[in-house]
Amino acid sequence: MNDLHDSVLTKLTAHFQQRQESILSFIREIVELESPSGYEAGSVDVAFKLGNFASTIPAFNRVKYVVSPGYGRHLRLEAFSGHETKPLVLVGHTDTVHPRGSLQERPWRVENGKAFGPGVFDMKANCVLAMEVIRALSDCGIGSSRPVTLLFTCDEETGSFDGRQLVEAEAQAAHAVLVLEPPAPGGRVKTGRKGTGMFSLQAQGIAAHAGLEPEKGASAVLELARQTEKLHALNNGGSGIRVNVGVFNGGTVSNVVPAEARAEIDVRFATAAEAAKIESEIFNLRPFDERVQLTVKGGINRPPLERSEKVLELYERARSIAGRLGFDLGETQVGGASDGNFAAAAGATVLDGLGLDGDGAHAVHEHIIIEDIPRRGALLAALIASFD
């Protein structure tokens, strides 16, 4: 670990303070290019805007756009190339959950030290911050002893079905992966994330007249209701497994024993062993009523980001730097998943939640805290500079 002199931290903090308004202005430009997942034109606009911005910073050596059919463009940037060492990889995403037209309903505004706008917290401001970190290291004459790769995918909010392979490839070659997702409340980074799974459970029963001969029917709705109770009972086992039957529908009219029903299931788990356990439980469900047929589809979407010793070492490095910058960097483990999960499963040491503090991810009050720009920017830049 490089022993950073106090003058380095002072330079970085001053740099971000001086550029805070310019950074905020560029964040606004990116937010006002709406890019919900699957809107290709918006994704392309954001990627090109960021890529063109990178071309104005000498430390960036390469800009690459990767076509993502149905989504737009992933963006991969290389900085400080030429070192014969494993790179540091910064991961983010340019897509949001906010549909087109959200900006018209909730336009950009600055109020009480907060900047509001659809997707600003999760996580367009952090894409801009990552690029400004490269500028700071370059302009302050600090540089990086390792190559730095920035990867911004464009389909994270819908499961990273295309971007996953890019994240995994970068992670396998990385010395460490720093994920620019929003922090937990209080600006805490994330040293653990649960994995996720998505399943659908379909029941095929036998229709019958509910008044004349109900005994001839086999209710698909009743079957799935019983299965729902069984699945939710798994939440009481004291493990990190969490199951939620979030969608349930079936039947046709009230006087017919329903022959069909369907449920959608979300699962969370803290370890790979728990992932295997819950997947086995769901695929081995057996009907309470043998006349009903069950069909299960789906599977594990994201593996867990486990709180390993290497993750904690990386966190302590960041925490030490934050302390020298004058603030306490907390940590937590969360139930939500990110592309950091894929990076961790690929073997990388991952620290997640390094983005700007704020609140309201995916919500109408989504915002960042403006005064966190110099603090978080200096932390991230110094963290990169701390690696040999």
Side-chain angles (χ1 to χ4, degrees), residues 34-379:
E34 291 187 299
S35 56
S37 304
Y39 178 41
E40 292 188 73
S43 169
V44 169
D45 287 344
V46 171
F48 284 173
K49 190 81 170 180
L50 291 171
N52 290 338
F53 182 72
S55 67
T56 68
I57 302 172
F60 281 107
N61 309 109
R62 188 184 184 198
V63 177
K64 180 181 180 181
Y65 303 99
V66 181
V67 175
S68 177
Y71 286 92
R73 296 291 187 278
H74 304 300
L75 177 62
R76 184 181 185 276
L77 305 164
E78 294 179 9
F80 302 112
S81 300
H83 301 289
E84 297 299 322
T85 54
K86 287 187 174 183
L88 301 173
V89 177
L90 277 59
V91 171
H93 63 86
T94 57
D95 60 320
T96 78
V97 300
H98 302 280
R100 293 171 66 188
S102 297
L103 188 67
Q104 184 174 357
E105 297 174 2
R106 303 188 302 280
W108 172 273
R109 78 180 196 277
V110 174
E111 185 177 290
N112 298 323
K114 301 172 182 177
F116 294 78
V120 65
F121 182 52
D122 186 16
M123 57 171 286
K124 288 187 169 181
N126 301 330
C127 294
V128 173
L129 183 69
M131 303 188 71
E132 284 287 345
V133 161
I134 302 301
R135 179 197 291 276
L137 290 168
S138 177
D139 287 359
C140 293
I142 298 166
S144 172
S145 296
R146 290 181 176 272
V148 181
T149 301
L150 280 64
L151 177 65
F152 301 138
T153 60
C154 64
D155 63 347
E156 192 272 348
E157 295 290 5
T158 54
S160 301
F161 294 105
D162 186 53
R164 175 177 183 170
Q165 60 183 340
L166 299 178
V167 173
E168 290 174 337
E170 297 295 343
Q172 287 167 1
H175 179 71
V177 174
L178 308 177
V179 181
L180 275 295
E181 285 284 346
R188 293 173 294 168
V189 294
K190 299 165 183 177
T191 54
R193 282 185 179 272
K194 288 188 175 182
T196 61
M198 296 179 289
F199 299 85
S200 67
L201 178 61
Q202 295 178 312
Q204 182 65 51
I206 301 171
H209 194 292
L212 296 178
E213 44 188 12
E215 69 282 355
K216 292 186 177 181
S219 173
V221 167
L222 177 59
E223 178 64 38
L224 286 198
R226 289 170 169 169
Q227 297 292 347
T228 297
E229 283 196 327
K230 180 178 180 180
L231 289 167
H232 275 259
L234 295 170
N235 293 325
N236 302 322
S239 70
I241 292 174
R242 292 293 178 269
V243 181
N244 181 60
V245 177
V247 176
F248 191 117
N249 53 53
T252 51
V253 293
S254 62
N255 65 346
V256 174
V257 175
E260 295 182 353
R262 181 180 64 88
E264 294 182 11
I265 307 161
D266 176 275
V267 302
R268 309 279 164 149
F269 41 85
T271 67
E274 289 178 351
K277 173 179 168 56
I278 189 60
E279 190 170 45
S280 176
E281 290 274 3
I282 292 176
F283 276 109
N284 286 292
L285 289 172
R286 296 293 179 264
F288 288 86
D289 185 337
E290 294 183 353
R291 298 173 297 167
V292 178
Q293 292 182 333
L294 297 178
T295 303
V296 179
K297 296 180 180 179
I300 300 302
N301 171 245
R302 281 188 169 95
L305 193 175
E306 299 191 36
R307 190 174 182 268
S308 67
E309 287 299 320
K310 287 187 176 181
V311 169
L312 290 177
E313 287 176 9
L314 183 52
Y315 162 65
E316 288 298 338
R317 178 192 291 248
R319 182 171 177 267
S320 174
I321 294 171
R324 293 176 62 191
L325 288 167
F327 69 100
D328 180 48
L329 183 68
E331 60 100 3
T332 189
Q333 300 176 73
V334 297
S338 79
D339 280 345
N341 293 59
F342 294 135
T349 301
V350 178
L351 188 60
D352 204 330
L354 282 163
L356 291 166
D357 200 2
D359 193 23
H362 299 189
V364 296
H365 67 287
E366 184 167 346
H367 65 267
I368 58 168
I369 298 173
I370 295 171
E371 68 176 10
D372 200 43
I373 292 174
R375 182 170 59 189
R376 214 69 167 191
L379 169 62

